[in-house]
Amino acid sequence: MNIGIVGAGIAGRLLAWQMIKKGHEVTLFDKNPLDSEAACSFAAAGILSPLAELEMAEPTIFELGTRSMHLYPKLIEELDYPVFYRQIGSLVTAHGSDKVELNHFHSMLRHKLSDCDNYVQNISIADKEPELAHMGDGLWVTDEGQLDTISLLNALQQSLLKKGVQWKEQVEVQAIEPGKIKTATDTYRHDWVFDCRGMGAKKELPLRAVRGELLWLQAPDIKIEHLTRLVHPRYRIYIVPRPDNIYLLGATEIESEDYSPVSVRSSLELLSAAYSLHKSFGEARIIKQVVNCRPALPDNLPKVELKDGIGRINGLYRHGILLAPAVVEQMMIKFNQAMGAHNEAENAVNS
Ligand SMILES: Cc1cc2nc3c(=O)[nH]c(=O)nc-3n(C[C@H](O)[C@H](O)[C@H](O)COP(=O)(O)OP(=O)(O)OC[C@H]3O[C@@H](n4cnc5c(N)ncnc54)[C@H](O)[C@@H]3O)c2cc1C
């Protein structure tokens, strides 16, 4: 089949990868240049945390996220380029006066998942992160992990190009119709078309933008290995460790379609919370500031739809990296069913 996919964020790239592996011909359209990091996916901290996210999310997110955790190691192995991936569990902690928040967090997980105790352990934070011993107690969510999103997106891009995907960069798509992808000047014909435009699909879907701000810190004096969340009544943060003493500090969540630089207020909140977790963050260097908008639907759940000749993956909100392998798998199941039905209908006509 000749497949057209619009949008080269995590959803579009991963869908292209699964399609090309099945032997289909794939054309991937994106309005940005090939080496651009403007897609929301490039902003992501790469947290793979289905259980800890369950505190505020629906069980569907946990189920899809758990499926993705199962799929990720194989996916990373398939790609010809290195992707930083670590699965040693995540930590959740709080300052002494906020321990009530930590208890609330734990009871929410227990309430939403009956066998929660199989995956969440009460620990002394010092057992996992000696430099955070002053935090006292905390939770260790045993199966969680993180990956370097930029290396994943780059590895997907290189692997797709090597397999012969046609990458139409700097092509702004105006309309997606069954069998057709239209720009201002051209119409491209495909057997099947897929819309993975994130916020770019806002004319077709009731999407809203949720602004996220994130800081990259380099802190040679700090040694933290685990993805660590600090729960707090007002300023919740996470610290995501990367190689070379780099720590991603995030992230704000603001209901606004605003791509302007990180605000002073957000910087103050994020950095103060990080400093309260580890005093050596005071000497860290801010090496990058990241802003983007998460594409969210009214129910904050992902949409995976193959209807009236158009496939759509969208609404990945704050979990796009976590959910992508599982939602793309769902799309591939729908696609194979649709192709089966189509072939049966053709056979019936021919016989
Ligand atoms: C600060 C921040 C931190 C985050 N951290 C995490 C995290 O730790 N873990 C996690 O799982 N998720 C995280 N997320 C969420 C995640 O980034 C998103 O859910 C995900 O990137 C959405 O991916 P997507 O492929 O749907 O959209 P996008 O990445 O936005 O991709 C859409 C693509 O479509 C293209 N496009 C749009 N319109 C057109 C058009 N008309 N023609 C051609 N091309 C078009 C765009 O150029 C873009 O490349 C975070 C988000 C933010 C902002």
Side-chain angles (χ1 to χ4, degrees):
M1 290 282 163
N2 175 352
I3 308 289
I5 300 174
V6 188
I10 185 67
R13 287 177 201 218
L14 211 45
L15 182 63
W17 180 246
Q18 297 304 346
M19 288 290 182
I20 215 144
K21 276 199 315 177
K22 292 278 174 215
H24 302 297
E25 272 176 33
V26 178
T27 309
L28 188 53
F29 297 79
D30 202 283
K31 63 180 181 181
N32 286 311
L34 202 63
D35 58 359
S36 159
E37 295 191 356
C40 181
S41 300
F42 281 94
I47 294 175
L48 304 176
S49 184
L51 187 48
E53 286 290 320
L54 189 56
E55 187 221 359
M56 293 203 285
E58 298 291 318
T60 312
I61 301 297
F62 171 71
E63 284 149 23
L64 289 170
T66 304
R67 177 67 189 152
S68 285
M69 294 300 284
H70 182 73
L71 298 172
Y72 257 123
K74 182 168 172 283
L75 167 71
I76 287 169
E77 210 180 288
E78 279 168 13
L79 301 174
D80 293 332
Y81 301 85
V83 177
F84 172 75
Y85 172 82
R86 184 185 277 164
Q87 194 179 357
I88 56 172
S90 70
L91 302 179
V92 189
T93 189
H95 292 294
S97 51
D98 304 329
K99 288 289 185 220
V100 62
E101 293 286 322
L102 186 65
N103 295 339
H104 177 68
F105 185 97
H106 198 179
S107 41
M108 282 302 282
L109 297 189
R110 281 188 160 142
H111 171 68
K112 290 190 175 178
L113 190 71
S114 56
D115 60 346
C116 169
D117 290 349
N118 292 337
Y119 312 101
V120 182
Q121 293 178 17
N122 274 305
I123 57 157
S124 162
I125 290 291
D127 294 345
K128 295 287 169 198
E129 293 294 351
E131 292 192 11
L132 300 180
H134 58 279
M135 297 302 295
D137 299 336
L139 305 173
W140 178 41
V141 191
T142 55
D143 291 345
E144 302 203 325
Q146 55 122 325
L147 56 73
D148 174 358
T149 318
I150 297 178
S151 67
L152 172 67
L153 291 162
N154 287 338
L156 276 165
Q157 183 182 74
Q158 296 303 326
S159 304
L160 286 168
L161 292 172
K162 198 166 158 187
K163 289 251 186 212
V165 76
Q166 272 204 57
W167 197 297
K168 294 214 175 281
E169 56 175 323
Q170 290 177 284
V171 175
E172 175 130 25
V173 169
Q174 305 287 341
I176 303 175
E177 294 171 9
K180 287 182 206 158
I181 290 174
K182 293 182 172 173
T183 66
T185 51
D186 296 299
T187 296
Y188 299 87
R189 288 175 195 281
H190 297 276
D191 297 321
W192 292 86
V193 295
F194 292 86
D195 181 353
C196 300
R197 283 176 295 170
M199 285 307 299
K202 115 179 138 164
K203 271 196 222 140
E204 288 80 4
L205 295 171
L207 286 160
R208 71 179 204 285
V210 183
R211 173 179 162 98
E213 299 155 297
L214 182 132
L215 302 175
W216 285 48
L217 308 179
Q218 188 153 39
D221 298 337
I222 296 180
K223 192 166 176 355
I224 300 176
E225 297 284 336
H226 292 78
L227 154 60
T228 303
R229 287 170 194 262
L230 178 69
V231 292
H232 182 278
R234 289 172 68 191
Y235 315 124
R236 290 183 162 216
I237 57 153
Y238 53 70
I239 302 277
V240 187
R242 291 277 173 82
D244 302 323
N245 299 92
I246 290 174
Y247 297 91
L248 274 55
L249 166 62
T252 57
E253 192 153 340
I254 300 166
E255 296 279 337
S256 168
E257 188 161 4
D258 175 359
Y259 292 87
S260 64
V262 180
S263 71
V264 169
R265 183 195 177 117
S266 298
S267 303
L268 286 170
E269 290 175 1
L270 291 169
L271 291 168
S272 309
Y275 181 64
S276 78
L277 185 71
H278 196 311
K279 292 288 174 263
S280 293
F281 275 121
E283 284 307 313
R285 296 295 181 263
I286 303 170
I287 56 170
K288 191 168 165 184
Q289 303 187 18
V290 176
V291 174
N292 220 305
C293 289
R294 308 166 178 98
L297 288 164
D299 58 5
N300 289 339
L301 291 176
K303 183 179 228 21
V304 185
E305 179 182 88
L306 184 57
K307 209 169 117 191
D308 304 330
I310 301 177
R312 292 186 202 279
I313 299 179
N314 215 318
L316 299 184
Y317 181 38
R318 50 180 280 147
H319 308 110
I321 307 303
L322 171 66
L323 302 185
V327 296
V328 167
E329 182 181 61
Q330 286 193 344
M331 180 58 90
M332 291 305 291
I333 293 170
K334 286 178 195 280
F335 175 64
N336 289 334
Q337 284 167 350
M339 283 220 305
H342 177 80
N343 291 344
E344 264 179 35
E346 275 202 341
N347 289 343
V349 170
N350 293 338
S351 60

